[in-house]
Amino acid sequence: MNQVLEFEKPIVHLKEQISELKNLSEQNEIDLTDEITTLERRLKRLEDDIYTNLKPWDRVQVARHQGRPTTLDYIPYLFTDFIEFHGDRYFADDEAIVSGIAFYHGKLITIIGH
């Protein structure tokens, strides 16, 4: 499971409550649609509020989060036939930089990402 950042804990807690209500509703055949809908609206407002008002350090934590998408996660959605280049003049490989060639809408391009 991904690490939960401190400011995300209220979101995770509310998601757990919604999940528990859904399970309870399914297992006991109880209609909890109104309660679930109310909590889902509350979750949306909470997410909007938290992510709109992030403090500078919170932004740093999001940027450094291990579960964040990387360049390699986006490449398959944007390009075809990607060939990644490895190494530099000293035959080392810097995992922070991704580079290679691929096709974008039929045109051969160079990709450099971090």
Side-chain angles (χ1 to χ4, degrees):
M1 183 174 161
N2 286 337
Q3 175 187 358
V4 177
L5 301 172
E6 190 63 35
F7 65 88
E8 293 177 312
K9 287 183 178 179
I11 293 171
V12 171
H13 180 68
L14 196 50
K15 284 182 178 182
E16 288 171 352
Q17 286 181 336
I18 292 169
S19 179
E20 287 174 16
L21 278 180
K22 285 181 179 180
N23 287 338
L24 182 66
S25 178
E26 289 174 10
Q27 291 173 355
N28 298 317
E29 297 181 10
I30 301 171
D31 184 16
L32 299 172
T33 306
D34 293 337
E35 291 83 355
I36 293 170
T37 303
T38 301
L39 286 178
E40 287 174 337
R41 283 191 202 119
R42 187 169 150 206
L43 174 63
K44 175 73 172 119
R45 285 192 308 270
L46 182 63
E47 287 175 331
D48 289 346
D49 183 52
I50 287 175
Y51 288 112
T52 301
N53 300 303
L54 286 178
K55 296 177 183 130
W57 180 244
D58 295 335
R59 290 181 188 274
V60 170
Q61 288 179 303
V62 170
R64 293 179 176 175
H65 196 277
Q66 292 297 315
R68 73 189 183 286
T70 66
T71 300
L72 290 174
D73 293 323
Y74 289 106
I75 287 174
Y77 294 104
L78 299 169
F79 310 104
T80 57
D81 302 322
F82 175 65
I83 299 172
E84 184 177 358
F85 298 149
H86 293 277
D88 61 13
R89 291 182 181 170
Y90 299 105
F91 309 104
D93 199 14
D94 183 355
E95 293 182 16
I97 302 292
V98 174
S99 65
I101 57 174
F103 286 95
Y104 181 71
H105 296 288
K107 293 187 179 189
L108 186 62
I109 62 157
T110 301
I111 301 169
I112 301 173
H114 62 88

